[in-house]
Amino acid sequence: MKKLLKEFEKFIMRGNVIDMAVGVIVGAAFQGIVNSLVNDVISPLLGLIANTDLSYLVLNVRGVDIKYGSFLTAVINFLIMAFVIFLLVKGINKLAELGIRKDKNKKAEEPAKPATKICPYCKSEIPADAVKCCHCTSDLEEPVSE
């Protein structure tokens, strides 16, 4: 039993499980935002053009109501919501891509200078801006690269 509990603790404490839990919680919170956007903004705008509430469509078979209109409305709402999420994710990815491009351009413009160099006489590692080797006391006339 202790071994099982240790394995469970190891599983729970892995980074990807915690990341997934955070993702689910943030996703649930994000769902409220997307639902509000679809129900309060996009659906009324679509309602001006076409009737998106088809819940009044009912098929009666032997006294049983088959509410296919409600199903069609749910499918339409799903498609609208999926499209809105697609656009949001696409926009977020585009913003992230712009940030990555800026970082790459910065790195390409400013190559990092090495902090140390090798003395050509004693082959010891010394500071890059040194003019005299601290090990062999040789004068260094020109910058030496590794």
Side-chain angles (χ1 to χ4, degrees):
M1 188 67 168
K2 283 185 178 181
K3 184 179 177 184
L4 181 67
L5 289 175
K6 289 252 186 223
E7 286 180 34
F8 180 70
E9 181 183 358
K10 184 178 176 184
F11 171 76
I12 290 296
M13 297 311 287
R14 275 199 278 184
N16 55 357
V17 173
I18 294 171
D19 292 343
M20 184 180 66
V22 170
V24 168
I25 293 168
V26 170
F30 187 66
Q31 179 186 8
I33 295 170
V34 173
N35 281 337
S36 176
L37 177 66
V38 170
N39 294 332
D40 300 334
V41 178
I42 294 174
S43 290
L45 291 174
L46 289 176
L48 293 173
I49 300 167
N51 186 9
T52 57
D53 184 18
L54 305 174
S55 60
Y56 62 89
L57 297 175
V58 177
L59 180 64
N60 193 325
V61 178
R62 293 187 180 181
V64 175
D65 289 339
I66 300 174
K67 300 177 182 180
Y68 70 94
S70 293
F71 174 74
L72 291 175
T73 300
V75 169
I76 291 169
N77 286 343
F78 168 78
L79 291 174
I80 292 169
M81 191 174 299
F83 186 69
V84 168
I85 291 173
F86 166 75
L87 292 177
L88 287 172
V89 169
K90 187 173 173 129
I92 290 168
N93 288 341
K94 194 69 164 176
L95 284 174
E97 185 180 304
L98 290 174
I100 290 171
R101 281 187 197 162
K102 284 183 181 179
D103 289 344
K104 284 184 180 178
N105 289 340
K106 249 186 190 176
K107 289 177 184 175
E109 292 171 4
E110 303 170 12
K113 294 181 180 178
T116 61
K117 62 184 177 183
I118 302 296
C119 173
Y121 303 104
C122 69
K123 304 297 182 198
S124 298
E125 190 172 343
I126 56 174
D129 58 350
V131 292
K132 188 179 264 304
C133 178
C134 58
H135 299 285
C136 68
T137 66
S138 298
D139 290 325
L140 306 172
E141 296 176 11
E142 56 185 304
V144 177
S145 60
E146 288 188 348

